[in-house]
Amino acid sequence: MSLTKTTTVDQITVTENGIVLYREATRIMEDGNELSKTYHRTSLTPGQDLTGQPANVVAICNAAWTQTVIDAYNAQVAAQTPGA
């Protein structure tokens, strides 16, 4: 009997305003049969520090987050902040 645990990014989505959403699936396997699977979702905002994020997520963020996207996102947040 051999148990293994793997975690992989199985979904990456970029929203209209540049937010990157990704899902990690953690699978527990026994001799090639899946015993359990859990999900963890994370969101990243344009310009956010990407330290410690999975490499494929960082690549998508770097492609999606042009300076124009970052500026537009920051302007949108500022417009929604009371007193800004």
Side-chain angles (χ1 to χ4, degrees):
M1 174 166 79
S2 172
L3 290 175
T4 58
K5 176 181 176 181
T6 60
T7 301
T8 58
V9 174
D10 68 342
Q11 275 186 2
I12 303 173
T13 304
V14 180
T15 65
E16 182 178 358
N17 62 354
I19 293 174
V20 174
L21 310 166
Y22 73 93
R23 181 178 81 177
E24 291 179 300
T26 300
R27 294 176 176 86
I28 305 297
M29 307 288 285
E30 178 181 25
D31 298 327
N33 297 314
E34 184 175 273
L35 297 178
S36 72
K37 178 171 33 177
T38 58
Y39 297 110
H40 177 78
R41 296 177 188 275
T42 303
S43 61
L44 304 169
T45 56
Q48 182 174 337
D49 180 21
L50 298 174
T51 303
Q53 299 299 331
N56 54 344
V57 174
V58 170
I60 296 295
C61 291
N62 287 335
W65 293 349
T66 63
Q67 191 60 50
T68 302
V69 169
I70 293 170
D71 292 345
Y73 177 79
N74 289 335
Q76 178 185 9
V77 170
Q80 295 174 348
T81 304

